[in-house]
Amino acid sequence: MNLTSEPIRITRGEGGEVEVEGLYDEFAARILARAGFMTFPTLRGQWVRLPFDLGRAWENEHASWAADMLTAARYHVDLDTDLRPGPPDGSAPPTTRRTKAAMTAQPAPPGSTRRPRR
């Protein structure tokens, strides 16, 4: 668990890359890796970011997925608002409710014969 009150921040950097800032432990690092983040060693520690050039929609989806998983694991997460997936105009898409189709008996095709089971 994250023992500090400092949140794990998922932001879009100045160069357009989606990166993670703040303190995190090994479990949080595994969650981030599961969401597609890569870790690179630097002189100051670790640089955790999503791969470049996979599109903003993909980056937003994976950043919000990481934030959801970290939140479910009880980490305090700060996700930039522009990383949340959704329609560009800010309106929510219409929700359609799927229902299960009822299974009905269908007559056998003409000309087919079934042998009784033994």
Side-chain angles (χ1 to χ4, degrees):
M1 292 292 292
N2 188 0
L3 301 176
T4 67
S5 61
E6 180 182 347
I8 298 172
R9 290 178 306 282
I10 303 174
T11 63
R12 188 171 299 279
E14 292 179 21
E17 71 281 350
V18 176
E19 56 191 4
V20 175
E21 299 172 345
L23 298 176
Y24 55 91
D25 58 14
E26 181 63 29
F27 185 65
R30 288 178 185 231
I31 291 172
L32 291 165
R34 176 75 175 136
F37 284 82
M38 302 181 305
T39 303
F40 300 95
T42 66
L43 294 175
R44 293 186 211 155
Q46 301 286 334
W47 183 30
V48 181
R49 65 166 175 82
L50 285 174
F52 293 133
D53 299 330
L54 293 175
R56 285 176 103 63
W58 186 91
E59 292 169 347
N60 293 356
E61 180 181 324
H62 284 259
S64 64
W65 182 33
D68 290 345
M69 287 191 291
L70 288 166
T71 301
R74 299 196 181 267
Y75 288 94
H76 184 68
V77 181
D78 183 16
L79 178 67
D80 275 0
T81 55
D82 69 327
L83 290 174
R84 298 192 187 279
D89 62 358
S91 63
T95 57
T96 57
R97 185 175 181 142
R98 277 185 79 161
T99 58
K100 292 184 179 179
M103 294 184 68
T104 58
Q106 300 292 320
S112 68
T113 59
R114 284 188 70 149
R115 295 188 318 195
R117 286 183 135 175
R118 292 183 193 198

